[in-house]
Amino acid sequence: MLKVGVLGAGHLGKIHLRLLQQSEKYELVGFYDENQEYAQKISKEFGYTNFNTIAKLIHAVDVIDIVTPTLSHYKCARAAIKSGKHVFIEKPISNTIEEAEEIIALANEYNVKGQVGHVERFNPAFIATKNMVENPMFIETHRLAEFNPRGTDVPVVLDLMIHDIDVILSVVNSKVKNISASGVSVISDTPDIANARIEFENGCVANLTASRISMKNMRKTRFFQKDAYISVDFLEKKCEVVKMKDAPEVPGDFDMILQNAEGVKKQIYFSNPEVQQNNAILDELETFADAINTNTTPIVTLDQATEALRVAHQIIACFKK
């Protein structure tokens, strides 16, 4: 079991603490939170050991789980890596590309592993369909959330849309060619609703919409590719696959047949892949433990998270234009 410590005991930090305490792959040593009055309250309520400095916690563990506000990710990761500790960092990896690149350089220098909490990669609906997504040419995502003051310290792109950016980059095997975007600030100082169009060198186009001022929550992505359409509902953890194949010579009474202008007939059939329910946050933490123990590559690498951050910043730069 790897000894682990958590930095940050806010809403998400408390979830990480609970799951790490349950995990059979980690031994939860304790946590540190900047607000020591609050930290003592958490310690008293849940029984977790509260450390009064970051340095003491880092010294006591093998792995540091960073669940602090984005602005402090770099500082925390730097301290942990320089002490030779593996780091799990909540998304986004850091506030700037320069910081993210330095985290990568430090991890390589000190020979430690890092993983970033792009949790949607572990969503069971995405896992069920991921291998069916082959060379998509059009992708559409909607990530809408009801207003929550938590997270408004960063633009909606870094708060919400970055989940979809990471998922898209993980399935499109091509470099980004062009990005156009627009964003509107409604209630925060930074954009609360944004739309982006990402064009890839292979011709794939992704259209992303994110909002944190919606009346209802929605997290849906649709992948369109040759002879197939794949829909993933990240919120409801459901998926649907619609495929086309050449129509049989003699169609059955209930077969759905389409015929184009050239007279080519295709049969449509639907499938709902089985979705194995899981706890995505526990899975991402435990696969990181596996990567450390077996010396393999983590599922969401520091480089991949940096690439998602780079695209996010290019989108934000479009707003300023």
Side-chain angles (χ1 to χ4, degrees):
M1 289 174 85
L2 293 162
K3 290 183 174 172
V4 66
V6 177
L7 294 182
H11 172 74
L12 193 54
K14 283 196 291 190
I15 294 171
H16 279 230
L17 282 164
R18 176 172 56 80
L19 294 171
L20 288 167
Q21 192 169 47
Q22 291 171 8
S23 173
E24 293 176 5
K25 300 191 178 186
Y26 289 102
E27 177 195 333
L28 178 62
V29 172
F31 76 101
Y32 168 83
D33 192 277
E34 203 171 54
N35 182 338
Q36 275 297 296
E37 193 182 326
Y38 169 75
Q40 283 159 12
K41 184 174 153 234
I42 295 292
S43 177
K44 200 171 175 183
E45 189 176 343
F46 299 102
Y48 309 130
T49 303
N50 169 35
F51 284 71
N52 59 7
T53 70
I54 288 181
K56 284 179 188 171
L57 179 61
I58 289 172
H59 181 71
V61 300
D62 308 308
V63 181
I64 284 288
D65 179 11
I66 299 167
V67 204
T68 58
T70 304
L71 295 175
S72 63
H73 284 186
Y74 167 71
K75 182 184 74 175
C76 296
R78 192 167 182 267
I81 294 168
K82 284 196 154 193
S83 298
K85 311 299 178 175
H86 304 289
V87 289
F88 183 96
I89 310 170
E90 245 322 310
K91 66 86 200 159
I93 179 170
S94 63
N95 192 44
T96 68
I97 305 299
E98 294 73 26
E99 288 175 352
E101 287 175 341
E102 195 175 329
I103 290 171
I104 292 169
L106 284 168
N108 289 333
E109 183 185 341
Y110 287 88
N111 196 28
V112 298
K113 292 197 183 294
Q115 180 167 318
V116 178
H118 283 289
V119 72
E120 294 292 36
R121 295 261 211 114
F122 298 83
N123 188 298
F126 179 60
I127 290 169
T129 52
K130 184 174 62 177
N131 293 337
M132 299 175 194
V133 179
E134 296 170 0
N135 199 29
M137 294 315 288
F138 182 69
I139 302 169
E140 191 162 38
T141 76
H142 287 90
R143 185 167 294 261
L144 315 177
E146 294 171 8
F147 184 74
N148 182 342
R150 213 168 34 82
T152 53
D153 55 329
V154 292
V156 71
V157 175
L158 291 177
D159 182 28
L160 297 179
M161 191 185 279
I162 196 160
H163 282 296
D164 299 311
I165 295 169
D166 173 70
V167 163
I168 289 167
L169 294 179
S170 78
V171 297
V172 178
N173 192 19
S174 179
K175 287 183 177 170
V176 172
K177 184 174 84 173
N178 187 49
I179 292 175
S180 52
S182 57
V184 179
S185 303
V186 179
I187 201 166
S188 318
D189 293 334
T190 58
D192 296 299
I193 184 163
N195 177 262
R197 178 185 167 93
I198 305 173
E199 296 171 37
F200 293 88
E201 287 179 357
N202 70 350
C204 177
V205 172
N207 193 12
L208 300 82
T209 300
S211 165
R212 57 184 174 205
I213 48 163
S214 295
M215 301 305 286
K216 62 173 185 175
N217 293 324
M218 179 195 284
R219 304 202 311 249
K220 284 185 177 172
T221 298
R222 290 176 291 177
F223 303 93
F224 298 85
Q225 60 198 43
K226 178 75 175 160
D227 289 342
Y229 155 79
I230 296 154
S231 170
V232 179
D233 189 327
F234 288 92
L235 186 63
E236 299 292 336
K237 298 178 175 56
K238 291 177 182 170
C239 54
E240 182 180 48
V241 179
V242 181
K243 285 192 172 180
M244 285 194 290
K245 61 183 179 184
D246 292 335
E249 286 291 318
V250 183
D253 291 342
F254 299 104
D255 288 350
M256 282 186 71
I257 307 294
L258 281 184
Q259 182 173 333
N260 67 13
E262 287 75 37
V264 176
K265 293 181 179 178
K266 294 276 185 179
Q267 180 184 352
I268 298 178
Y269 61 104
F270 299 84
S271 69
N272 294 87
E274 189 183 346
V275 176
Q276 304 278 352
Q277 294 306 323
N278 69 343
N279 184 313
I281 296 175
L282 181 61
D283 278 6
E284 66 178 355
L285 290 164
E286 291 198 333
T287 60
F288 184 48
D290 293 340
I292 294 166
N293 287 327
T294 58
N295 193 25
T296 51
T297 305
I299 289 177
V300 183
T301 65
L302 300 175
D303 291 274
Q304 289 169 342
T306 300
E307 206 45 49
L309 183 67
R310 196 185 312 278
V311 171
H313 276 291
Q314 287 174 297
I315 290 168
I316 292 165
C318 291
F319 302 159
K320 291 167 184 166
K321 286 177 194 169

